[in-house]
Amino acid sequence: MAGPLPSPATGRALLAWYDVHRRDLPWRAAPGEVSDPYRVWLSEIMLQQTTVAAVRSYYAAFLDRWPRVNDLAAAEDGEVMAAWAGLGYYARARNLLACARVVAVSGFPATREGLRALPGVGDYTSAAIAAIAFGEPAVVVDGNVERVVARLTRLARPPKAARRAVEAAVEAMLPADRPGDFAQAMMDLGATICTPKSPACAICPLLHDCAAARHGEAAAYPVKAPKKARAVWRGAMFVPVRPDGTVLVRRRPERGMLGGMVEVFGSPWAAEIGDAADHAPFAAAWTAAGSITHTFTHADLTVDVFRADVAAETAAPAGGWWADPAAAGLPTVMKKAVTRALAMAEG
Ligand code: SF4
């Protein structure tokens, strides 16, 4: 961390701003009122990967139909899934129902640790509910908080790689008597003032405590994680060709890259594949047909292609079959290999 740790005074300045500028959100308790854990929980689950604007109408509809957690717990699965339709990430709806049914029996746990054990409630959500609904001084860190802290402290590393430093900064600001308001104030500041692209430093309540703003570098933070270097893979593919033009193929395993697709026989794709001949489907007069390249999202693949002309009665080894390459449903990289092998004979 390049800047000093924020102080409790920073936290108090944030709360003073929040008392005047807080967003009026339907799931928020009015100032001075106690938050309802059901409303906080429902809104936090809906807000995962979803914007406030998209959540509003769904939240209202759910609350209208299932005003208490016991009502939701008693709902049919299909009803809840249908009401969730359009909000996306449907695992959330399944977890929502599973969680409601646990809570209907034993009530909402009042601690972060207890909340964390509920279906669909992760680190962030458990901290947020514990702070907002139960007043636990939990450190709540989401993307907004990471961004604000990275700027306040000129955090030299990407926030995800400096989790402890981010938490320490939040802890240093956290007012023990108003942890829920503080968590919501950080969210509001990140959403309305300290925004990702154009932070409005001139009207920010934390301007005088902010190391990045002081250096005129607000937009340079948070520091981005370096892009991962692309992997470089090699491979070998073998294309035996029968007189009728059919080639030998097999199906890839269901899991992994090109899962379940048809492929020609060959080596795994890796930085090193050793002797290509070790990956041939059977002994034959294999001839090098050149190489092809293919670009995947995270890797560049170069494949040496081998061809052998084999007799019509050549049997397919276990897991393989002979197929017309034009009708075999080969993915692009396999088509390239077969095309190269077949072009060799013509050339
Ligand atoms: S002064 Fe600017 S960079 Fe710093 S917290 Fe406020 S909006 Fe963000």
Side-chain angles (χ1 to χ4, degrees):
M1 195 174 295
L5 217 52
S7 72
T10 311
R12 284 195 296 276
L14 181 64
L15 280 179
W17 170 83
Y18 179 73
D19 287 341
V20 178
H21 297 284
R22 69 202 293 277
R23 285 180 295 174
D24 190 14
L25 299 174
W27 43 87
R28 280 192 177 163
E33 270 184 17
V34 178
S35 295
D36 173 359
Y38 174 56
R39 292 176 180 225
V40 176
W41 163 75
L42 184 61
S43 64
E44 286 297 340
I45 300 293
M46 287 184 165
L47 287 165
Q48 290 167 3
Q49 288 121 350
T50 310
T51 61
V52 166
V55 164
R56 277 180 189 271
S57 63
Y58 283 86
Y59 174 81
F62 265 65
L63 211 63
D64 196 41
R65 196 156 168 192
W66 300 294
R68 293 166 307 137
V69 71
N70 290 40
D71 304 320
L72 181 60
E76 297 283 335
D77 291 32
E79 273 182 281
V80 174
M81 295 307 287
W84 192 275
L87 206 49
Y89 300 97
Y90 292 93
R92 290 186 297 170
R94 284 188 286 277
N95 279 329
L96 188 82
L97 205 40
C99 184
R101 287 172 182 160
V102 172
V103 170
V105 174
S106 47
F108 272 104
T111 63
R112 178 179 189 175
E113 212 180 298
L115 289 159
R116 180 79 180 79
L118 293 171
V121 177
D123 268 343
Y124 164 78
T125 308
S126 58
I129 302 171
I132 298 168
F134 297 107
E136 181 176 323
V139 173
V140 183
V141 178
D142 69 352
N144 281 323
V145 175
E146 285 177 345
R147 183 171 60 257
V148 172
V149 166
R151 289 171 175 169
L152 280 175
T153 62
R154 292 177 83 214
L155 187 64
R157 288 180 292 155
K160 295 255 181 299
R163 178 80 191 189
R164 269 308 304 150
V166 173
E167 288 176 350
V170 174
E171 255 166 350
M173 287 186 271
L174 183 64
D177 56 335
R178 294 180 66 189
D181 284 345
F182 176 76
Q184 294 176 102
M186 285 291 271
M187 293 173 196
D188 284 11
L189 189 81
T192 62
I193 303 267
C194 195
T195 54
K197 290 215 168 72
S198 43
C201 301
I203 56 165
C204 177
L206 309 186
L207 175 61
H208 299 296
D209 305 321
C210 181
R214 203 162 39 247
H215 287 79
E217 294 177 339
Y221 294 89
V223 170
K224 288 197 178 61
K227 282 207 173 129
K228 278 191 187 158
R230 296 175 62 75
V232 176
W233 290 335
R234 296 211 56 97
M237 292 183 191
F238 294 83
V239 186
V241 186
R242 296 202 301 190
D244 64 357
T246 54
V247 301
L248 182 65
V249 295
R250 65 182 173 186
R251 194 168 293 284
R252 290 177 67 81
E254 286 301 324
R255 298 180 74 94
M257 292 187 67
L258 305 179
M261 306 288 281
V262 176
E263 67 168 1
V264 296
F265 281 63
S267 72
W269 304 331
E272 290 293 335
I273 59 161
D275 187 352
D278 292 344
H279 303 286
F282 44 63
W286 296 107
T287 311
S291 60
I292 56 124
T293 58
H294 191 75
T295 304
F296 291 102
T297 318
H298 301 297
D300 293 320
L301 172 68
T302 302
V303 178
D304 294 326
V305 182
F306 298 88
R307 169 184 174 135
D309 291 281
V310 299
E313 61 276 16
T314 306
W321 70 92
W322 296 96
D324 171 359
L330 293 165
T332 307
V333 61
M334 300 298 163
K335 272 189 195 149
K336 286 183 188 173
V338 170
T339 303
R340 168 130 296 278
L342 297 181
M344 181 195 169
E346 289 157 12

